[in-house]
Amino acid sequence: MQNVSMEKIVSLAKRRGFVFPSSEIYGGFAATYDFGPLGFLLKKNIEKAWRRWNVESRTDMVEIEGAIFMHPRVWEASGHVGGFADTLVEDLVTHKRYRADHLIEEAGIMASAGGLSLQEINDVIEANKLKSPDGNPLSKSKKFNQLVKTHLGATEDDTTLVYLKGESCQNIYLDYKMVQETMRLKLPFGIAQIGKAFRNEITVKNFLFRTREFEQMDVQYFCRPKDAGGYYDEWKKNRWDFYTQCMGFDKANVRWRQHEKNEKAFYATDAWDIEYKFGELDFKEVEGVHHRGSYDLDQHAKFSGKDLSYLDEETGERFNPYIIECSGGFNRLFLACLFEFYREEEDRTVLSFPAKLAPYKAAVFPLLRNKPDLVARAKSIFDLLRAEHMVAWDDRGNIGKRYYAQDEIGTPFCITVDFQTLDDDTVTVRDRDTATQKRVAVGELADFLRQR
Ligand code: GAP
């Protein structure tokens, strides 16, 4: 990765149809984004790679897709109604609100202020005479619950109050017993899910990095309490390999950070973040690996009155399994892919995605658009390839401009149909990364792309 700025990433993402600001014609809506046509394709490919790595290549994992609306008691049991809060301070002049820990970190007072109590935050603000970004005095700190609320039903009162998912994984805990029984699973096993989460973040900035609606990619691994430490280490290694091998990120851009004692979420007995170097934002969390113990199953058993224990057929023992959680943010992974693979060269900008992630695997061009024979042959090759792969068509401008446009969206191969094609049924295949060209027989093209 080159030292690329967020501004360049945001600009390319919009210009080339990866990410659009939501509700743009109304002036946009803070920190909400739509994935455009190429962003959607990249998203699907990232999800496919994640699924292949975490579920399909293993025999101990299954995947579910849960609903966004859940019984409101779920969020009481999970601890979110009582404890899912950030600390805010208010600018006493403008009344803008800020996350207190972020202000302290951005002022360089502490590297990590997430675990400070209200009193400690007030003390730090006072001792350092910390002001708002507009230079005004700050209020005392207070807690602000992040759950997004709405009402379902014909009235709007306490009886119809529901929460949007504050973390996507809760369906997995509620469904774990049905999954285990219907799939006849034995410990250890894991349940994966890619699902939406919603958080009423006090401050949102940095493009896709912190938004109020986002997706999480979860693995929740259920095991015997005595085995949890070993599986925690195993999953940590797995997650490192996922970023550096499956996604192909440079090891220099990924690192681990353990949560301080007072920083851990209320459910975690141990917590490590995988951080990615997002350009000028520096290293920031992209995934959390949490040792949740039996907290979630204990809580849901207590609040629902239902037995969620697992019967160990070998020992005859009953217990609530321990859970190892790997919870990655999809939006952050998507953004990391843009940072990681963005490259500027003298005469071109390249997104050097691995072929499995690239929105289009190849683009097909007729050398000249005003030669009907070339166009017809190119169209037939385009149709042949798109039966199996996502392939782009381009017959505008000259070949150089077409290469430039495909490099910028990360297409690994450009296939040109020229006069020689009409003679010997070979085409020119130009490699995005090396810009070298070679001739390949049309009959071998589908296989050539399949192997990439
Ligand atoms: N179930 C565990 C859980 O929710 P978390 O650390 O709060 O843990 C997991 O969230 C991941 O979700 C984070 O590592 C991050 O990538 C992503 N995430 C959290 N809040 C986010 C936000 N406001 N915008 C984008 N991604 C977010």
Side-chain angles (χ1 to χ4, degrees):
M1 178 184 78
Q2 290 173 338
N3 213 0
V4 51
S5 67
M6 181 69 94
E7 197 186 340
K8 283 198 171 161
I9 297 288
V10 175
S11 156
L12 175 74
K14 185 174 177 202
R15 189 161 34 85
R16 298 309 313 270
F18 283 91
V19 182
F20 302 132
S22 169
S23 318
E24 208 205 13
I25 61 168
Y26 288 94
F29 191 62
T32 49
Y33 296 95
D34 296 336
F35 290 104
L38 295 188
F40 174 80
L41 292 174
L42 174 60
K43 180 175 194 291
K44 292 294 146 197
N45 289 342
I46 293 173
E47 287 172 357
K48 197 170 159 194
W50 182 90
R51 179 167 293 118
R52 180 92 214 114
W53 181 272
N54 291 299
V55 185
E56 293 168 357
S57 66
R58 304 177 59 115
T59 53
D60 56 352
M61 291 290 306
V62 292
E63 185 175 354
I64 63 165
E65 186 175 307
I68 286 173
F69 291 121
M70 302 169 84
H71 196 292
R73 289 274 285 166
V74 170
W75 302 102
E76 291 169 32
S78 70
H80 285 77
V81 170
F84 190 47
D86 277 334
T87 306
L88 70 76
V89 282
E90 195 170 311
D91 178 315
L92 290 173
V93 177
T94 65
H95 301 293
K96 283 191 214 157
R97 294 175 154 199
Y98 300 95
R99 257 186 67 175
D101 54 337
H102 288 178
L103 284 188
I104 292 171
E105 288 164 14
E106 282 158 17
I109 299 168
M110 293 171 83
S112 165
L116 297 182
S117 67
L118 292 180
Q119 188 55 52
E120 286 167 334
I121 286 187
N122 293 341
D123 292 346
V124 171
I125 290 175
E126 206 179 308
N128 293 276
K129 300 196 174 20
L130 185 63
K131 298 272 189 295
S132 78
D134 293 322
N136 299 317
L138 294 165
S139 69
K140 293 271 182 258
S141 61
K142 63 177 178 190
K143 289 283 176 195
F144 178 76
N145 192 290
Q146 284 184 266
L147 282 177
V148 177
K149 305 176 192 73
T150 188
H151 292 270
L152 283 185
T155 55
E156 277 197 19
D157 56 30
D158 285 353
T159 63
T160 59
L161 178 69
V162 289
Y163 303 97
L164 303 192
K165 287 190 196 186
E167 57 174 358
S168 182
C169 58
Q170 288 294 327
N171 311 79
I172 295 183
Y173 310 139
L174 304 191
D175 292 352
Y176 121 89
K177 202 130 194 208
M178 288 187 286
V179 170
Q180 187 256 318
E181 286 171 4
T182 53
M183 303 305 287
R184 299 193 196 91
L185 297 173
K186 291 200 183 346
L187 291 180
F189 66 86
I191 304 176
Q193 178 175 240
I194 300 177
K196 290 262 185 188
F198 303 84
R199 294 182 185 177
N200 197 1
E201 299 278 1
I202 298 165
T203 45
V204 274
K205 54 183 176 181
N206 297 326
F207 193 37
L208 296 176
F209 182 80
R210 189 175 305 283
T211 50
R212 295 192 173 109
E213 170 185 348
F214 53 96
E215 273 182 59
Q216 292 180 316
M217 310 176 97
D218 282 322
V219 165
Q220 306 287 332
Y221 202 70
F222 296 77
C223 60
R224 293 179 177 80
K226 70 175 173 54
D227 299 332
Y231 285 120
Y232 190 66
D233 292 342
E234 221 169 84
W235 276 101
K236 273 184 66 195
K237 177 174 182 323
N238 175 300
R239 303 323 295 151
W240 180 261
D241 292 347
F242 172 75
Y243 288 95
T244 58
Q245 291 174 26
C246 180
M247 300 308 292
F249 292 175
D250 186 336
K251 287 189 179 115
N253 297 329
V254 187
R255 74 174 189 197
W256 282 110
R257 188 180 74 82
Q258 186 173 24
H259 283 210
E260 309 279 337
K261 243 198 192 118
N262 56 1
E263 183 195 353
K264 281 184 298 214
F266 47 87
Y267 49 73
T269 51
D270 194 7
W272 288 76
D273 288 342
I274 290 213
E275 297 186 330
Y276 179 79
K277 194 168 190 313
F278 292 95
E280 73 265 34
L281 297 187
D282 208 9
F283 282 98
K284 293 267 181 252
E285 173 183 353
V286 66
E287 173 160 345
V289 183
H290 308 131
H291 185 324
R292 296 182 74 125
S294 58
Y295 173 83
D296 305 278
L297 297 183
D298 294 349
Q299 286 291 100
H300 287 306
K302 191 164 127 200
F303 276 69
S304 68
K306 296 275 164 25
D307 176 16
L308 294 179
S309 65
Y310 172 86
L311 173 64
D312 192 332
E313 285 170 5
E314 285 164 30
T315 61
E317 254 184 295
R318 270 198 175 278
F319 55 89
N320 287 347
Y322 274 23
I323 296 171
I324 307 302
E325 164 179 84
C326 309
S327 183
F330 170 77
N331 297 22
R332 292 187 188 180
L333 178 56
F334 182 99
L335 183 59
C337 282
L338 295 180
F339 269 101
E340 180 72 28
F341 299 113
Y342 184 98
R343 226 172 56 217
E344 272 177 11
E345 293 176 4
E346 206 175 306
D347 53 355
R348 62 177 189 156
T349 300
V350 187
L351 281 173
S352 57
F353 294 132
K356 69 181 175 195
L357 299 183
Y360 294 119
K361 207 126 188 227
V364 178
F365 313 148
L367 179 65
L368 298 169
R369 68 189 299 185
N370 57 358
K371 297 285 173 201
D373 288 2
L374 286 185
V375 174
R377 187 68 189 111
K379 273 270 182 231
S380 71
I381 292 171
F382 175 61
D383 287 340
L384 173 90
L385 296 179
R386 72 193 179 88
E388 197 180 333
H389 304 285
M390 282 307 299
V391 182
W393 169 265
D394 197 353
D395 60 4
R396 298 158 310 154
N398 61 37
I399 289 283
K401 281 195 180 136
R402 296 181 206 164
Y403 284 157
Y404 185 92
Q406 294 300 327
D407 287 346
E408 210 181 29
I409 61 170
T411 308
F413 303 104
C414 289
I415 297 167
T416 304
V417 175
D418 54 20
F419 293 106
Q420 193 182 329
T421 313
L422 303 180
D423 287 340
D424 66 3
D425 223 25
T426 64
V427 288
T428 303
V429 177
R430 182 257 196 187
D431 182 289
R432 175 198 63 202
D433 296 330
T434 60
T436 54
Q437 302 184 8
K438 65 174 174 180
R439 290 209 77 88
V440 176
V442 170
E444 290 168 15
L445 273 179
D447 206 38
F448 174 87
L449 293 185
R450 214 175 286 135
Q451 287 166 16
R452 262 78 194 172

